[in-house]
Amino acid sequence: MVQKNEETYEDEWTLEVIFTERIAGLKNATLHRHFDIPEEAPKGLYDFKITVEDMNGTSLEETRKISLIDIEDYLDVFPHVSAFGVDKIDIDGKGGFNNFYNNGEFRNTENPSFRKDESIWASVQIGNIKGDGIMYGLLIKKSFDHKPETVEDIDFSKAIVTDLKQHSDYDEIRAFQSSYNTNFNNHYMYGAAYKIGADADNNLPNSNLVTGNKAWENGTYYYGYVYTNTTYNLSTFKYIEFEITGF
């Protein structure tokens, strides 16, 4: 673990742990090891590096960014997806909307797909947040193998932005949602619908054209939301997948 200064990204504190056990005679193996982080370790941003070396001296290194926190700072703040629903608007708009997915369940298992010119109308709620945060709705081809878990991880050359919401200066713990209650028969108005096959995405005010390697095509897509609380550097996400046809 190598702590990085969040402004200069220079090394500030380092912890090295070496496991000397050897595994021989296997082409593939799964290792599960634990180690303790010293109490004097400063909280902050780290590069977490894992290096594996075989008996011939060949090595492989993987690096991931992690944050070391003090749990006392986060007793109340715990971002999580507390509700996630997706509706489908028909091509001609005359059929109203159909409940497509709701909190873990596809409502029409015989046809869990979207067609060209149908629209996605989604609602997501993030619970236990405070301060500032940002949330993206994303459509991503499954073939890209890209499901970002933080806003920082989003590769916009692969992701079609269907929704973008932000909040700021929440001084108390509360929920954040992409829809709002009109107080009329408990009816919820969702954010803007997004049409499958649109020329540009909803990364407003600077939308991106849906061209190049992310141009529309038949196939399986990931669809979901990723949220990052920029005050506490905590994130959450939720994805489903479905087929898109008609291209």
Side-chain angles (χ1 to χ4, degrees), residues 8 44 76 90 93 110 117 121 126 130 143 168 176 216 222 224 238 243:
T8 65
D76 297 320
D90 293 340
E110 295 181 358
D117 292 330
W121 209 19
I126 310 298
K130 191 177 180 180
S143 58
S168 61
F176 175 58
W216 295 104
Y222 296 129
K238 172 70 176 182
E243 297 294 316

Side-chain angles (χ1 to χ4, degrees), residues 24-42:
L26 297 176
K27 293 184 178 180
N28 297 289
T30 299
L31 299 176
H32 185 88
R33 298 290 185 270
H34 295 263
F35 65 93
D36 295 325
I37 298 175
E39 291 185 4
E40 67 270 18

Side-chain angles (χ1 to χ4, degrees), residues 107-194:
R107 294 308 177 95
N108 185 356
T109 56
E110 295 181 358
N111 184 29
S113 63
F114 275 81
R115 291 180 296 159
K116 182 179 183 292
D117 292 330
E118 292 180 332
S119 295
I120 297 176
W121 209 19
S123 178
V124 65
Q125 178 170 288
I126 310 298
N128 290 81
I129 61 171
K130 191 177 180 180
D132 302 343
I134 184 169
M135 176 171 67
Y136 284 87
L138 304 173
L139 260 175
I140 305 172
K141 295 176 185 177
K142 186 175 181 179
S143 58
F144 287 148
D145 191 26
H146 178 56
K147 287 198 292 186
E149 299 182 3
T150 71
V151 167
E152 183 183 20
D153 291 338
I154 299 173
D155 183 344
F156 290 101
S157 70
K158 299 177 180 179
I160 300 169
V161 177
T162 63
D163 198 8
L164 172 58
K165 296 287 191 304
Q166 299 184 64
H167 67 83
S168 61
D169 298 327
Y170 283 5
D171 55 3
E172 296 181 353
I173 296 296
R174 57 175 293 184
F176 175 58
Q177 55 196 28
S178 63
S179 57
Y180 62 91
N181 194 326
T182 65
N183 292 319
F184 178 71
N185 292 332
N186 203 33
H187 180 64
Y188 279 83
M189 295 296 293
Y190 291 7
Y194 185 73

